Amino acid sequence: AQSVAQPEDQVNVAEGNPLTVKCTYSVSGNPYLFWYVQYPNRGLQFLLKYITGDNLVKGSYGFEAEFNKSQTSFHLKKPSALVSDSALYFCAVRMDSNYQLIWGAGTKLIIKP
Amino acid sequence: DAGVIQSPRHEVTEMGQEVTLRCKPISGHNSLFWYRQTMMRGLELLIYFNNNVPIDDSGMPEDRFSAKMPNASFSTLKIQPSEPRDSAVYFCASSLQGVGYTFGSGTRLTVV
């Protein structure tokens, strides 16, 4: 069965430190992987995606993610966290049979000044 | 492009009333998704259309929920009759060939 796991409900990071939000997936075939961010009382905003090509993907707001096929992971990273990065982050994988996305449960990222 | 447009932004209704949520996808996108988000259950896919045809409605909670997409530029999600447990934020998203997904700002539904 296809699935996405975000093992951490919450991640706390001090401002200026690097951050990582973890995502692992299980999907048959070649995965299409996505990260979205949701700020309070807002819709989901696209951050970045991996479809093919370089394993390191750069996205919006200084975020990047590394596709690791052997570990079936797509962790979201940022070298230096900002307080404004505090939000809910979702990882998703597209099913290979259609255009549906399988979503992780979300990780709340809290950046402390 | 104005993005995915949902209306209304907020809806408060009494139990038993009919509620209709509306969505205008991005022009040219061929897939449309309705999601529901709650604290308890997170983000749930309700129904998915491709080229205006419903492909998967297995996420629709019960017969009180129905969705239509009469053309490529408009979709509705209807709840009749509404119940307090339907209170949630409902999102519409559209996509072109599944390589990018754009969400609307959502409709916050409160059923009292």
Side-chain angles (χ1 to χ4, degrees):
Chain A
Q2 297 174 116
S3 64
V4 175
Q6 293 182 243
E8 302 152 319
D9 291 337
Q10 183 169 310
V11 171
N12 298 299
V13 178
E15 186 177 27
N17 283 0
L19 69 87
T20 298
V21 183
K22 296 180 180 177
C23 173
T24 59
Y25 65 90
S26 173
V27 63
S28 55
N30 295 317
Y32 286 21
L33 295 155
F34 301 83
W35 275 102
Y36 281 81
V37 59
Q38 186 178 29
Y39 298 100
N41 301 312
R42 303 286 294 277
L44 279 74
Q45 297 178 35
F46 171 78
L47 275 180
L48 51 81
K49 67 184 177 187
Y50 172 83
I51 295 176
T52 186
D54 289 341
N55 290 342
L56 185 63
V57 179
K58 294 188 182 297
S60 307
Y61 312 121
F63 284 92
E64 59 187 28
E66 185 167 12
F67 170 61
N68 188 318
K69 189 172 184 178
S70 63
Q71 297 185 4
T72 61
S73 66
F74 190 56
H75 301 330
L76 181 70
K77 298 182 179 183
K78 187 172 182 180
S80 178
L82 300 172
V83 173
S84 57
D85 293 329
S86 298
L88 188 57
Y89 290 80
F90 290 94
C91 180
V93 62
R94 201 197 88 177
M95 295 177 69
D96 57 5
S97 57
N98 56 44
Y99 297 151
Q100 288 187 49
L101 289 176
I102 306 298
W103 293 89
T107 298
K108 186 175 184 179
L109 178 63
I110 297 177
I111 310 299
K112 298 184 178 179
Chain B
D1 197 321
V4 175
I5 300 173
Q6 290 187 247
S7 64
R9 288 297 306 274
H10 302 275
E11 177 80 35
V12 180
T13 190
E14 291 185 348
M15 181 175 62
Q17 296 297 308
E18 178 180 295
V19 175
T20 299
L21 311 182
R22 297 172 176 79
C23 176
K24 177 179 169 55
I26 289 178
S27 177
H29 280 192
N30 62 335
S31 298
L32 184 139
F33 306 82
W34 280 102
Y35 287 93
R36 178 172 68 177
Q37 187 178 36
T38 61
M39 290 292 293
M40 291 295 293
R41 294 187 297 270
L43 196 61
E44 302 173 278
L45 176 66
L46 299 177
I47 188 169
Y48 149 53
F49 292 87
N50 196 43
N51 294 324
N52 312 338
V53 176
I55 302 300
D56 185 351
D57 64 355
S58 60
M60 297 286 262
E62 47 199 274
D63 292 345
R64 297 185 297 107
F65 285 69
S66 62
K68 294 182 180 180
M69 193 165 186
N71 56 61
S73 59
F74 184 65
S75 177
T76 59
L77 177 68
K78 185 178 294 186
I79 308 173
Q80 167 63 21
S82 59
E83 297 181 3
R85 59 192 170 122
D86 302 330
S87 297
V89 181
Y90 291 81
F91 288 105
C92 175
S94 70
S95 175
L96 176 61
Q97 308 294 357
V99 295
Y101 299 78
T102 303
F103 281 75
S105 298
T107 295
R108 182 175 296 276
L109 174 65
T110 302
V111 183
V112 298

